Amino acid sequence: MMAGWEAVRDEVLRRIRARVWPPGAVIPGEEALAVEFGVARATVNRALREVAESGLLERRRKAGTRVAVLPVRKATLEIPIIRQEVEARGERYSQRVLAERMDPVPLAAALRMGLAEGVDLLFLETLHLAGGRPFAHEVRWLNPAVLPGGELPDFRHISANEWLVQNVAYTIGDIAFSAEAASPEEALALGIRTGDPVFVTERVTWSGEAPITFVRLLHGPGYRLRTML
Amino acid sequence: MMAGWEAVRDEVLRRIRARVWPPGAVIPGEEALAVEFGVARATVNRALREVAESGLLERRRKAGTRVAVLPVRKATLEIPIIRQEVEARGERYSQRVLAERMDPVPLAAALRMGLAEGVDLLFLETLHLAGGRPFAHEVRWLNPAVLPGGELPDFRHISANEWLVQNVAYTIGDIAFSAEAASPEEALALGIRTGDPVFVTERVTWSGEAPITFVRLLHGPGYRLRTML
């Protein structure tokens, strides 16, 4: 008898690796595996769910569970607030608000947020620092319509990033990563040269149907976004 | 009475957003919520698990379930094989092997793989094309010790990426993304200019304790890695 779902998962992984269950094969049902392993069916279910989440098994309600032929592996990225990211590196976090004003949203940001061009949004430009040195440059459009009570904090004391996480829960979001060449303004803010490669994170979040914010975050050379597979 | 776990999840999300349950608050137990919503306790459990996976709730076995004060949101990235990625864009995939030889592994790759410098590994350099145009440049070190039967395929006919996914299951991996400036060789392979920003993906995978492969993949300007939050 196996102790828990982790032991069942490990045995399932072993059989996939050893090709006891080759790619494309339908594996035995949960009931049969529960009997074989001497565990509850729920334990088998928990183990198979975990392996399916890794992409190695494909579960279909009627056709049963198959070993994936071309498993799509998945990686989970944690998206921390920037202050925590900096502090986790053992450095002191600070931030500087470079611009804050109501402004008509430009087309590119409006398209990302699903808004009409020219709607008035709050524009914020922030430099995040680690140990006093530029760490990330942030440009953000914030939809005042979704803010609680319409009352905004003093963004010199709390970053919009942190305040939103604490105060405005979103239901869905979209995130994209790319490599770009720093513009003269971006290079100046980050203390790098124009044209240097920057790691760009663009994120849009919605509360139901209403867009909350579109943010474009730039990290200079040397930044790595890392996770486990 | 609520229909299913999705309805319970939506009501939980509504209460968190509306601050009926503010950040840091301990929410009612599963039993109490099951009674309130008129559903089975397992239904509440399923809904809370989903919300906890999004980072908005923190579940502790003894202390109960709390609304996260600074929720760490998570994004799931799918890591497809490159052929599928290209075909999903509606383009024809092809690949060109630029180099294939046994070579002593250099220090940087050895460190990533947890091997001693100078161990003989298979070195592969591949250009992935979309519609005949360079899509990604790949440099890979492959540990022959973990390959099934020691028999290698003809990598001109199947990319190492696809062959490994089909033939060598890994247990854990590490993936990192960064922005770099293309070296002269990389720029030449991708048909871009030296110094142009490239999106770099570095991945190491292991089978148990044994490293399988270290791969460094470069995408030229315009590439975006995108997912939902």
Side-chain angles (χ1 to χ4, degrees):
Chain A
M1 186 189 136
M2 293 199 177
W5 69 268
E6 293 93 342
V8 174
R9 175 201 57 197
D10 290 349
E11 174 60 14
V12 167
L13 286 173
R14 190 194 65 76
R15 290 183 186 188
I16 295 172
R17 269 204 304 281
R19 316 202 133 221
V20 176
W21 296 339
V26 175
I27 71 168
E30 287 182 6
E31 201 56 68
L33 290 174
V35 171
E36 180 186 347
F37 296 148
V39 299
R41 182 170 169 162
T43 306
V44 172
N45 181 279
R46 176 79 178 84
L48 295 184
R49 209 168 58 221
E50 178 101 353
V51 179
E53 275 169 14
S54 81
L56 289 174
L57 286 176
E58 288 165 1
R59 312 188 78 193
R60 294 195 189 126
R61 206 166 285 264
K62 286 190 179 150
T65 298
R66 262 173 208 285
V67 180
V69 176
L70 288 174
V72 173
R73 293 300 294 245
K74 290 174 185 164
T76 301
L77 284 177
E78 298 206 338
I79 317 284
I81 63 167
I82 298 171
R83 178 177 62 73
Q84 289 181 316
E85 194 178 357
V86 167
E87 288 171 358
R89 298 155 72 107
E91 297 191 90
R92 187 176 47 82
Y93 172 77
S94 59
Q95 55 125 15
R96 211 147 63 211
V97 177
L98 305 179
E100 178 176 359
R101 58 175 182 269
M102 290 297 293
D103 238 7
V105 63
L107 183 61
L111 284 175
R112 294 292 305 272
M113 298 175 81
L115 288 173
E117 186 183 356
V119 172
D120 263 356
L121 298 184
L122 180 66
F123 174 78
L124 272 168
E125 183 183 355
T126 308
L127 186 66
H128 300 271
L129 302 107
R133 289 179 311 280
F135 176 72
H137 177 251
E138 178 186 307
V139 162
R140 179 186 292 274
W141 294 91
L142 233 171
N143 181 7
V146 300
L147 304 183
E151 187 86 34
L152 286 176
D154 184 340
F155 286 122
R156 287 169 305 178
H157 297 129
I158 181 167
S159 77
N161 175 231
E162 183 155 356
W163 182 80
L164 281 173
V165 165
Q166 284 178 5
N167 290 276
V168 186
Y170 65 90
T171 37
I172 54 164
D174 176 294
I175 194 164
F177 306 99
S178 57
E180 294 185 21
S183 71
E185 301 74 33
E186 292 165 347
L188 188 65
L190 284 170
I192 59 178
R193 288 166 309 181
T194 299
D196 272 356
V198 282
F199 189 84
V200 182
T201 304
E202 291 191 338
R203 192 164 61 213
V204 190
T205 50
W206 286 269
S207 172
E209 310 255 294
I212 301 169
T213 194
F214 166 61
V215 58
R216 179 179 154 89
L217 196 65
L218 264 69
H219 289 87
Y223 180 77
R224 282 167 74 85
L225 177 73
R226 198 180 154 186
T227 191
M228 299 301 287
L229 282 173
Chain B
M1 186 189 138
M2 292 200 179
W5 69 268
E6 294 92 343
V8 173
R9 174 201 59 197
D10 291 348
E11 174 60 14
V12 166
L13 286 173
R14 191 194 66 76
R15 291 183 185 187
I16 294 172
R17 270 203 305 280
R19 317 203 131 220
V20 176
W21 296 338
V26 174
I27 72 168
E30 287 182 4
E31 201 57 68
L33 289 174
V35 171
E36 181 186 347
F37 295 148
V39 298
R41 181 170 172 164
T43 307
V44 173
N45 180 280
R46 177 78 179 82
L48 295 184
R49 208 167 62 219
E50 177 100 355
V51 180
E53 274 169 14
S54 81
L56 288 174
L57 287 175
E58 288 165 1
R59 312 188 77 192
R60 293 192 192 129
R61 207 165 286 262
K62 284 188 180 152
T65 299
R66 265 174 206 284
V67 180
V69 176
L70 287 175
V72 173
R73 292 301 294 249
K74 290 172 187 163
T76 302
L77 284 178
E78 299 205 337
I79 318 283
I81 62 166
I82 298 171
R83 178 177 62 74
Q84 289 181 316
E85 193 178 357
V86 167
E87 289 171 355
R89 299 156 71 108
E91 297 191 270
R92 188 176 47 84
Y93 172 77
S94 59
Q95 56 126 12
R96 213 149 58 211
V97 177
L98 306 178
E100 177 175 359
R101 58 175 182 268
M102 290 297 293
D103 237 10
V105 62
L107 183 61
L111 285 174
R112 295 291 304 273
M113 297 176 81
L115 288 173
E117 187 182 355
V119 173
D120 263 356
L121 298 184
L122 180 66
F123 173 78
L124 271 169
E125 182 183 356
T126 307
L127 185 66
H128 300 271
L129 302 107
R133 289 179 308 280
F135 176 73
H137 178 251
E138 178 186 307
V139 162
R140 179 187 292 273
W141 293 91
L142 234 171
N143 181 6
V146 300
L147 303 184
E151 186 86 32
L152 285 175
D154 184 339
F155 286 123
R156 287 171 303 178
H157 298 131
I158 182 167
S159 76
N161 174 232
E162 183 156 356
W163 183 79
L164 280 174
V165 165
Q166 285 177 3
N167 290 277
V168 187
Y170 64 90
T171 38
I172 55 164
D174 176 295
I175 192 164
F177 306 99
S178 58
E180 294 185 22
S183 72
E185 299 74 32
E186 292 164 348
L188 188 64
L190 284 169
I192 59 177
R193 287 165 310 181
T194 299
D196 272 355
V198 282
F199 189 85
V200 183
T201 303
E202 290 191 338
R203 192 165 61 215
V204 191
T205 49
W206 287 268
S207 172
E209 311 253 294
I212 301 170
T213 194
F214 166 60
V215 57
R216 178 179 155 89
L217 197 64
L218 265 69
H219 288 88
Y223 181 75
R224 285 167 73 84
L225 178 72
R226 197 180 156 188
T227 192
M228 299 300 287
L229 284 172

